Amino acid sequence: MGRFTSSNGNSNSDSGNGGCLAEEKLDELRKLIGKSEGDPLRIVSVGAGAWGSVFAALLQDSYGQFRDKIQIRIWRRAGRAVDRATAEHLFEVINSREDVLRRLIRRCAYLKYVEGRLGDRTLFADEILKDGFCLNMERITVPIIISLAKGIQAALDPVPHIITPTMMIHQATGVPIENILYLGGPNIAAEIYNKEYANARICGAEKWRKPLAKFLRQPHFIVWDNSDLITHEVMGGLKNVYAIGAGMVAALTNESATSKSVYFAHCTSEMIFMTHLLAEEPEKLAGPLLADTYVTLLKGRNAWYGQMLAKGQLSPDMGDSISGKGMIQGVSAVEAFFELLSQSSLNVLHPEENKPVAPVELCPILKTLYKILISRELSSQAILKALRDENLNDPRERIEIAQSHAFYRPSLLGQP
């Protein structure tokens, strides 16, 4: 393990007022966390996923010069226990799949937290877990966990509901949910590293999200804060579903702008329909969801994966972990959303047939993606048939249906 260094020299805190402001923000966070003079804030990033590495680089660029106050390090390979003396604050680069996360926890020799004292360790989670990571340390304080992961799992008992990475972390570690946050937004890791203007939201309890938003904010990377942790996290996983289909359509139509726009109309109408099932005030999610979807369709790994499938350069049999790209989160998200929305307990009234149907029956793109990626009944070409929509259903009608009916199902997000 070595000190993390960034090759990007365009730091906004190299000198002058920028450096003074950065030091002030660092001092504010240190004080809030309870760090004493001479005791540096220690941050370790585990793994080398794109977003996790870039996120660590942002912190290094802003605060790395204050070596007596903060230490930022990165583990590119796991398999060794984290040194208790140097890993008080940990960026944990993990996969959002439940089995991977739970394997991580099982490999920990012990994790002991005692509530009632201010947390002195921060964990950041992203998308890639290098097999063999073992966390072997004992703490008497409650950590602050910020998840960067965009993926979901489904559970059907006792009722159909979604499991997000923050829920998994809470269940596996016992860390109170108010100490777990989610950071996400419409961004591409490499472009953020190159100082392209970007924004994100940190979601969770007010006690931590507001000071952390201030700490993370930079002139080129604006961080807002929001209290709606779970819904934003679910939306971050949902857009990956439709990004895969967008890549297929792009490849099969020779990058036809017209065909891609038709697909966008259909997939966004399905996503809006789903937000009415998932959120009590879905209109508040429209902007963030569409922005995150737009950038993922343009230049994300899930869209790339869809293109490679349609071109025959990859196949679903190869799995969803691709060398050089990492985990394709949209594959498991397709399965999770299909399973959930196929449950009869969530039935909605079909507008034309006037009978109850599972919500997935009103989502033809999702159904087709499931048959291509999961059950493998269809080839990638089938996405074009779904796009042509032989039933002549205007995407606008799906939105109107959702807006005119009380579809909200709080149980989907584990709410009473």
Side-chain angles (χ1 to χ4, degrees):
M1 182 179 73
R3 186 177 301 278
F4 182 90
T5 56
S6 167
S7 61
N8 190 331
N10 298 323
S11 172
N12 69 292
S13 56
D14 289 338
S15 60
N17 293 334
C20 293
L21 178 60
E23 188 169 18
E24 289 176 7
K25 293 196 296 182
L26 175 56
D27 287 342
E28 286 182 20
L29 186 62
R30 283 173 48 84
K31 182 179 179 180
L32 182 62
I33 290 175
K35 301 297 292 184
S36 60
E37 191 69 26
D39 184 14
L41 185 67
R42 297 175 175 91
I43 296 176
V44 175
S45 176
V46 178
W51 182 212
S53 296
V54 166
F55 192 70
L58 293 180
L59 293 181
Q60 175 68 26
D61 286 347
S62 291
Y63 302 109
Q65 61 182 303
F66 309 112
R67 295 188 177 184
D68 58 331
K69 297 183 178 183
I70 187 171
Q71 294 178 3
I72 303 170
R73 304 185 179 195
I74 186 168
W75 290 71
R76 294 195 175 277
R77 290 301 299 256
R80 292 168 291 180
V82 177
D83 189 329
R84 356 178 139 178
T86 60
E88 292 177 332
H89 298 263
L90 181 68
F91 286 76
E92 207 169 24
V93 185
I94 64 175
N95 192 297
S96 63
R97 281 170 44 188
E98 185 176 16
D99 59 330
V100 179
L101 179 58
R102 295 196 183 281
R103 186 168 73 243
L104 165 68
I105 299 302
R106 283 197 302 270
R107 291 187 178 210
C108 297
Y110 49 81
L111 282 170
K112 181 178 180 182
Y113 304 121
V114 178
E115 298 184 31
R117 293 181 55 183
L118 192 65
D120 73 343
R121 192 159 57 85
T122 305
L123 286 71
F124 289 78
D126 191 31
E127 299 170 333
I128 307 299
L129 169 67
K130 296 298 184 182
D131 197 27
F133 173 62
C134 178
L135 177 62
N136 184 9
M137 63 176 73
E138 182 176 13
R139 295 295 177 193
I140 61 171
T141 52
V142 181
I144 309 161
I145 302 173
I146 300 181
S147 170
L148 308 181
K150 295 181 177 180
I152 72 159
Q153 298 292 306
L156 303 181
D157 295 319
V159 295
H161 63 282
I162 290 170
I163 302 175
T164 68
T166 62
M167 291 175 176
M168 298 177 208
I169 293 168
H170 168 63
Q171 293 169 2
T173 66
V175 174
I177 196 67
E178 57 267 22
N179 276 48
I180 304 176
L181 303 98
Y182 164 70
L183 178 71
N187 47 61
I188 299 296
E191 295 182 351
I192 293 177
Y193 185 67
N194 289 329
K195 299 294 190 282
E196 300 288 348
Y197 179 78
N199 60 61
R201 280 182 178 81
I202 187 165
C203 305
E206 183 174 355
K207 175 182 179 181
W208 293 116
R209 74 173 191 266
K210 288 188 177 296
L212 285 170
K214 182 177 181 180
F215 179 71
L216 299 175
R217 190 175 298 126
Q218 299 183 22
H220 67 283
F221 185 65
I222 304 303
V223 180
W224 301 309
D225 70 276
N226 191 279
S227 62
D228 195 347
L229 167 66
I230 300 299
T231 311
H232 276 85
E233 198 177 11
V234 171
M235 295 301 102
L238 178 58
K239 49 87 179 180
N240 289 330
V241 167
Y242 293 96
I244 295 177
M248 293 177 182
V249 170
L252 294 170
T253 64
N254 196 28
E255 298 288 343
S256 165
T258 301
S259 295
K260 288 191 288 186
S261 68
V262 172
Y263 178 82
F264 189 75
H266 281 281
C267 77
T268 52
S269 72
E270 290 190 15
M271 285 190 286
I272 292 171
F273 173 76
M274 290 182 203
T275 61
H276 282 74
L277 289 167
L278 296 165
E280 191 169 13
E281 298 179 305
E283 62 278 356
K284 293 182 179 180
L285 298 171
L289 175 60
L290 292 177
D292 206 356
T293 301
Y294 179 69
V295 74
T296 306
L297 266 57
L298 283 177
K299 198 177 180 181
R301 76 178 72 175
N302 289 278
W304 170 88
Y305 178 73
Q307 287 183 322
M308 295 299 102
L309 290 178
K311 292 178 179 179
Q313 297 180 25
L314 292 175
S315 75
D317 293 336
M318 298 171 67
D320 55 3
S321 183
I322 306 300
S323 177
K325 286 291 183 177
M327 185 63 62
I328 308 301
Q329 300 286 10
V331 176
S332 60
V334 166
E335 184 173 17
F337 278 107
F338 181 89
E339 286 183 354
L340 286 170
L341 301 183
S342 297
Q343 302 305 306
S344 59
S345 60
L346 301 175
N347 277 0
V348 298
L349 189 66
H350 194 287
E352 295 179 356
E353 300 178 10
N354 197 32
K355 67 178 183 180
V357 296
V360 75
E361 296 302 322
L362 297 177
C363 301
I365 301 294
L366 175 62
K367 285 182 62 177
T368 301
L369 288 171
Y370 180 86
K371 291 180 180 180
I372 295 172
L373 299 171
I374 309 302
S375 65
R376 299 173 190 173
E377 304 168 48
L378 303 173
S379 70
S380 299
Q381 289 281 345
I383 197 71
L384 294 183
K385 182 176 181 181
L387 192 65
R388 295 186 180 110
D389 187 21
E390 295 176 355
N391 294 323
L392 302 178
N393 292 318
D394 188 335
R396 175 186 57 82
E397 296 174 356
R398 185 177 295 107
I399 297 173
E400 288 181 350
I401 293 168
Q403 292 175 336
S404 62
H405 292 75
F407 282 168
Y408 176 47
R409 300 290 193 276
S411 59
L412 276 172
L413 297 184
Q415 305 297 320

